[in-house]
Amino acid sequence: MKTILTALLAATVISAAHAQSLPGGFVYLRDIDPGIIQDIRYATSNNFVGRPLAGYGAGECVVKREVGLRLKAVQQELAAQGLSLKMFDCYRPARASLDMVKWSQNGYETAAERRYNPKIPKSELFRLGYIASRSQHSTGAALDLTLVDLKADNSARYDPSKAYADCTAPVEARLPEGSVDMGTGYDCTDTKGHTAAPSINPDQRAWRKRLVAAMAKQGFVNYAKEWWHFSLPGAGAAAYDFPIPPRTK
């Protein structure tokens, strides 16, 4: 009898794990390439909203399978150069985009929020197109990412009690991201965040070009107003709203 009960319990656990599986065609990037660094910011308080967004039940990069396989190919090329991709956002539940819109219209703005929007009031972000009620991310075919120099000291960590400079400030003054200096922080709402911004220095421009070139080899297209945003044309059309569950494998 004890053996039967043990078997039933094991079957229940397996069934629960399967119940948290992803919709068809979606995968955890960690299952495709565990070497790609992940810092899924919207699952934490380290983002422009200052809290986890709706639908982010885990800090896991979820993508369409084809997207994951192409990212693996990018990573293999970068690894030979002592570099790695670092994922900031992948699949984004549709409810998270609506959460962003609601946040932008809540009527107040903190100093921490202004780090990401130094020149534009957050109440204007939706009207100006920096925040949208529907995001390409919800298709599973769009990504926010950067590069990490694996030979560098990437040990600095975000301290929520520290008063960092805004996202356009020199890298040593803005909040640490454990990555190369791309000229602005991630999610920086400023013209300096445009991929071809003339206001960045030659080294920063070289890093951006290196990232764009590596991604382009696998068919990814950069969004000109955000150096960190890439998409894979044709890999996703419909938007999804399933929450991101913890990976159980």
Side-chain angles (χ1 to χ4, degrees), residues 84-143:
S84 173
L85 292 174
K86 184 174 189 174
M87 314 305 298
F88 287 133
D89 194 33
C90 302
Y91 160 73
R92 180 185 306 165
R95 69 192 72 182
S97 295
L98 295 176
D99 198 4
M100 290 181 183
V101 174
K102 183 178 178 181
W103 163 84
S104 72
Q105 299 170 350
N106 66 13
Y108 63 90
E109 192 164 16
T110 68
E113 291 171 348
R114 291 292 291 173
R115 293 175 192 155
Y116 295 87
N117 316 297
K119 298 176 183 176
I120 304 173
K122 77 184 215 181
S123 60
E124 292 293 296
L125 295 177
F126 181 75
R127 183 182 68 81
L128 295 174
Y130 288 101
I131 290 178
S133 56
R134 185 186 186 281
S135 170
Q136 245 187 330
H137 283 274
S138 298
T139 69
L143 313 154

Side-chain angles (χ1 to χ4, degrees), residues 27-233:
V27 295
Y28 289 101
L29 181 60
R30 209 176 298 278
D31 290 334
I32 300 292
D33 191 332
I36 296 177
I37 301 168
Q38 296 189 31
D39 180 13
I40 307 302
R41 298 277 287 272
Y42 298 146
T44 74
S45 61
N46 183 15
N47 57 58
F48 67 88
V49 176
R51 57 170 172 76
L53 287 174
Y56 282 81
E60 291 285 348
C61 175
V62 171
V63 290
K64 286 293 186 70
R65 179 175 295 276
E66 181 185 359
V67 173
L69 292 173
R70 293 190 185 221
L71 286 173
K72 180 181 178 69
V74 175
Q75 179 75 355
Q76 288 175 337
E77 180 177 338
L78 291 174
Q81 305 168 41
L83 301 171
S84 173
L85 292 174
K86 184 174 189 174
M87 314 305 298
F88 287 133
D89 194 33
C90 302
Y91 160 73
R92 180 185 306 165
R95 69 192 72 182
S97 295
L98 295 176
D99 198 4
M100 290 181 183
V101 174
K102 183 178 178 181
W103 163 84
S104 72
Q105 299 170 350
N106 66 13
Y108 63 90
E109 192 164 16
T110 68
E113 291 171 348
R114 291 292 291 173
R115 293 175 192 155
Y116 295 87
N117 316 297
K119 298 176 183 176
I120 304 173
K122 77 184 215 181
S123 60
E124 292 293 296
L125 295 177
F126 181 75
R127 183 182 68 81
L128 295 174
Y130 288 101
I131 290 178
S133 56
R134 185 186 186 281
S135 170
Q136 245 187 330
H137 283 274
S138 298
T139 69
L143 313 154
D144 292 342
L145 48 78
T146 189
L147 289 175
V148 174
D149 182 351
L150 298 175
K151 303 179 294 299
D153 179 4
N154 299 304
S155 61
R157 293 292 180 266
Y158 167 67
D159 180 353
S161 67
K162 188 172 180 180
Y164 296 103
D166 72 60
C167 60
T168 66
V171 65
E172 60 272 10
R174 61 182 190 259
L175 65 86
E177 293 180 333
S179 60
V180 302
D181 179 13
M182 290 288 190
T184 75
Y186 167 54
D187 259 352
C188 188
T189 307
D190 189 88
T191 55
K192 197 174 181 180
H194 296 184
T195 308
S199 54
I200 58 175
N201 68 42
D203 287 341
Q204 295 161 347
R205 185 171 295 106
W207 279 121
R208 292 188 187 188
K209 288 182 177 180
R210 196 166 181 176
L211 176 59
V212 170
M215 295 293 287
K217 285 184 179 180
Q218 290 300 321
F220 291 100
V221 176
N222 173 247
Y223 175 49
K225 290 186 176 181
E226 297 178 349
W227 61 257
W228 56 85
H229 181 96
F230 292 82
S231 60
L232 184 62

